[in-house]
Amino acid sequence: MSSASGNSLQIESSDVIRLIQQFLKEQNLHRTLQTLQEESTIALNTVEGIETFTQNILKGHWDVVLRNISQLRIPPQKLIDLYEQIVLELMEMREIAAARSLLRSTEPMHALKDRYPERYLRLEHLLTRSYFDDKEAYLEDTKEKRRQFIAQALAKEVTVVSPSRLMALLGQALKWQQSQGLLPPDTGYDLFRGAAPTTQIEDDQPVSQCYNTIKFPKKQYAEAVSFSPDGQMLATGSVDGFIEIWNFMTCKLRKDFKYQAEDNPMLMQTAVLCLSFSKDSEMLASGSQDGKIMVWKVQTGTCVRRFVTAHSQGVTSVSFSKDHSQVLSSSFDHTVRLHGLKSGKTIKEFRGHSSFVNRAEFSLDGARVVSGSSDGTVKVWDTKTTECIQTLSVSEGQLLASVAVAAGPAVQTIQVFPRNMDHVLVCNKSWYLHIISTKGQLVKSFNLGTEAKGNLTTAVLSPKGDYVYTVAENGTFLALHVETGRIHANFEISSADVVGMAHHPFSNILGVHCDDGVVAMWKP
């Protein structure tokens, strides 16, 4: 029997076995059912209806009764009484050969011979008679009374269960999980693995409609939003320090995580400024306003590593290395640092920016680190040596020749292209988007002044890098096709200030979080 505490229900293991047995019976897997009953010593003992079962006995439909009894586990004494009655009634119908066969070749009658030899011999004697005498056969009872006695006795041994009970219970469980936001509606579900089936990467399409929202109190809005690489979770980090995992389709809290169901969420002491999942989606790194980094195990909500002195000021971005052994971070303290999960120590520092470092990322192969700063530069670093390989600055569609003389506008964010390890998207505080190469070239620029009507604040790429989404200070949202430069969407996404955006790893779903407490989910 399973243990339970609090308001948990206790479930008998024997009941689970009976549910499986019923399923086997309904699937006509009779040999498997018999084996399970023998090995577990648990009998199914169900019939479609008690009334039908007893009526068959009362009316003497013995062929049906024996067929039903063959799949049940009945006490030997009650089987003896049943078979004795059938033998007598076969004699009454002068079916002597059938009566003799049943008497001499069935287990209940062999048991009768061993336990009650006189009763057995009486039946043998009656078989030799050329006539049938009711009073001699049924003694002080009548045939009808004996049938009624047998029906009552056997009815106590069987139960009635609704058909397909196992499937019904599983269906109810899935519906409950959907109602709690644990499963997205109208999607497939891998019951064996316990997960929604992984979706294939969709062709990039620009988003155009908000299908759901998560609403935080305005003073506790989400500063950070991140999708898990397996596409199953959305994490939010808010200004009050709470880190929560959501179903991004229903926008409900994931209550299948015990710590969230028990209202014991992951928590940092100050505002959460950034989040990032490990590549296997099992860990989540968070950076806070006070310079701390914490690494969490998502399934349990436990903190597996703390970097208390990761930075002297707020942490602006975090990301895991490909092998999950290190966490890269950037900060308002002008530095980029690399931290070892095993040692719990800061193992490398990339120093050279003269202002806030707003984002840092690994290149696709992990050999380089790319960082963008409010000092107007993008720097490319050697991961092993921490040497600065390139310092680039772009302004109004131009690559500045000498950063020492003048740098471009503050770099708001950067993102390495998902399918081109040398290309980096740069969004700086202007109405331009730039694509640069880690080798030091300006690849492409987009002048969005006419459409944006203000400086850009953030940008993010679609999964394949076909589209870039960006938002201006006035709330104008633009979807730009990278190859053609064509704008596919242009509308006001929010009247509040947009804090940031996050894109699903392989579906056309975009999360936009604003300082009014709303996290809006968008799709094509």
Side-chain angles (χ1 to χ4, degrees), residues 9-202:
L9 294 175
Q10 289 186 332
I11 299 174
E12 297 286 348
S13 58
S14 58
D15 289 339
V16 177
I17 293 175
R18 287 190 180 95
L19 286 170
I20 298 171
Q21 289 175 342
Q22 184 198 31
F23 178 79
L24 294 173
K25 180 181 177 182
E26 292 173 340
Q27 300 301 312
N28 294 318
L29 300 171
H30 299 300
R31 283 190 297 174
T32 308
L33 170 62
Q34 183 178 355
T35 301
L36 180 58
Q37 289 187 141
E38 290 173 356
E39 292 189 353
S40 66
T41 68
I42 296 171
L44 179 59
N45 280 22
T46 61
V47 293
E48 292 182 1
I50 294 290
E51 185 175 351
T52 302
F53 178 71
T54 55
Q55 282 298 315
N56 284 328
I57 297 173
L58 294 174
K59 293 179 179 179
H61 297 161
W62 299 120
D63 55 336
V64 178
V65 172
L66 289 176
R67 192 160 55 246
N68 290 334
I69 289 294
S70 67
Q71 299 179 25
L72 306 176
R73 182 164 293 179
I74 304 296
Q77 183 59 54
K78 294 184 179 182
L79 282 177
I80 288 173
D81 294 340
L82 171 65
Y83 275 73
E84 183 182 31
Q85 181 67 19
I86 296 174
V87 168
L88 288 171
E89 293 196 24
L90 287 172
M91 292 181 194
E92 184 178 0
M93 293 185 291
R94 308 315 293 159
E95 297 283 351
I96 301 302
R100 184 180 293 111
S101 175
L102 203 65
L103 177 64
R104 296 177 180 177
S105 61
T106 58
E107 288 187 16
M109 292 296 90
H110 291 163
L112 175 67
K113 185 177 182 180
D114 292 339
R115 295 185 185 186
Y116 311 105
E118 292 183 0
R119 283 173 63 181
Y120 180 84
L121 289 174
R122 190 175 76 87
L123 292 176
E124 286 280 9
H125 176 69
L126 290 173
L127 275 174
T128 62
R129 296 288 182 88
S130 59
Y131 62 89
F132 184 83
D133 185 339
D134 286 5
K135 291 183 180 180
E136 185 180 11
Y138 300 124
L139 300 175
E140 297 179 359
D141 290 326
T142 63
K143 177 172 63 177
E144 288 70 23
K145 283 184 178 180
R146 287 177 65 97
R147 284 181 178 179
Q148 190 171 14
F149 170 79
I150 292 169
Q152 290 174 348
L154 294 180
K156 295 178 182 178
E157 300 297 327
V158 298
T159 56
V160 176
V161 180
S162 302
S164 303
R165 183 65 178 150
L166 177 62
M167 301 305 291
L169 287 172
L170 291 173
Q172 290 168 5
L174 292 178
K175 285 182 179 178
W176 181 85
Q177 290 190 65
Q178 283 187 341
S179 71
Q180 298 298 307
L182 308 181
L183 293 176
D186 303 322
T187 62
Y189 185 73
D190 188 329
L191 188 63
F192 183 70
R193 288 177 56 247
T198 302
T199 307
Q200 297 297 316
I201 297 178
E202 300 174 0

Side-chain angles (χ1 to χ4, degrees), residues 206-213 451-452 455-460 468-480 489-503 509-524:
V207 300
S208 58
Q209 58 178 319
C210 176
Y211 69 84
N212 217 334
T213 58
E451 295 81 7
N455 290 333
L456 306 178
T457 61
T458 188
V460 66
V468 56
Y469 300 110
T470 187
V471 178
E473 292 172 332
N474 57 12
T476 299
F477 173 85
L478 300 173
L480 177 75
N490 182 347
F491 55 85
E492 183 182 8
I493 200 163
S494 176
S495 58
D497 289 342
V498 175
V499 179
M501 297 186 291
H503 206 292
I509 295 175
L510 182 71
V512 181
H513 51 114
C514 304
D515 67 359
D516 61 355
V518 175
V519 179
M521 308 306 299
W522 291 76
K523 65 180 182 179

Side-chain angles (χ1 to χ4, degrees), residues 297-449:
K297 188 173 182 181
V298 178
Q299 281 297 323
T300 62
T302 53
C303 179
V304 295
R305 181 61 71 192
R306 285 181 175 85
F307 299 95
V308 179
T309 57
H311 290 277
S312 60
Q313 297 182 46
V315 183
T316 56
S317 73
V318 285
S319 59
F320 282 89
S321 59
K322 290 176 70 174
D323 63 359
H324 318 147
S325 66
Q326 299 171 340
V327 174
L328 181 72
S329 65
S330 60
S331 170
F332 292 136
D333 66 6
H334 305 182
T335 67
V336 176
R337 291 177 178 171
L338 196 59
H339 315 274
L341 284 183
K342 188 174 182 180
S343 66
K345 297 178 180 179
T346 300
I347 54 180
K348 290 180 183 179
E349 181 178 83
F350 305 83
R351 183 176 289 274
H353 284 295
S354 59
S355 187
F356 304 153
V357 183
N358 295 315
R359 187 166 183 83
E361 288 190 1
F362 286 107
S363 61
L364 296 183
D365 61 1
R368 301 283 185 266
V369 168
V370 184
S371 59
S373 169
S374 292
D375 65 12
T377 67
V378 175
K379 289 183 179 290
V380 182
W381 315 80
D382 184 288
T383 305
K384 288 185 177 180
T385 67
T386 72
E387 176 189 358
C388 182
I389 302 169
Q390 298 283 351
T391 298
L392 309 170
S393 185
V394 288
S395 178
E396 298 184 359
Q398 300 293 321
L399 183 65
L400 299 184
S402 176
V403 178
V405 176
V411 177
Q412 309 277 46
T413 189
I414 60 164
Q415 186 177 351
V416 176
F417 269 76
R419 295 194 173 186
N420 190 325
M421 61 184 294
D422 291 329
H423 288 183
V424 180
L425 173 69
V426 179
C427 173
N428 56 18
K429 194 173 182 180
S430 70
W431 49 83
Y432 278 84
L433 286 175
H434 300 87
I435 300 174
I436 63 172
S437 165
T438 56
K439 297 177 180 178
Q441 293 92 28
L442 175 64
V443 178
K444 190 177 287 189
S445 62
F446 305 96
N447 183 350
L448 303 177

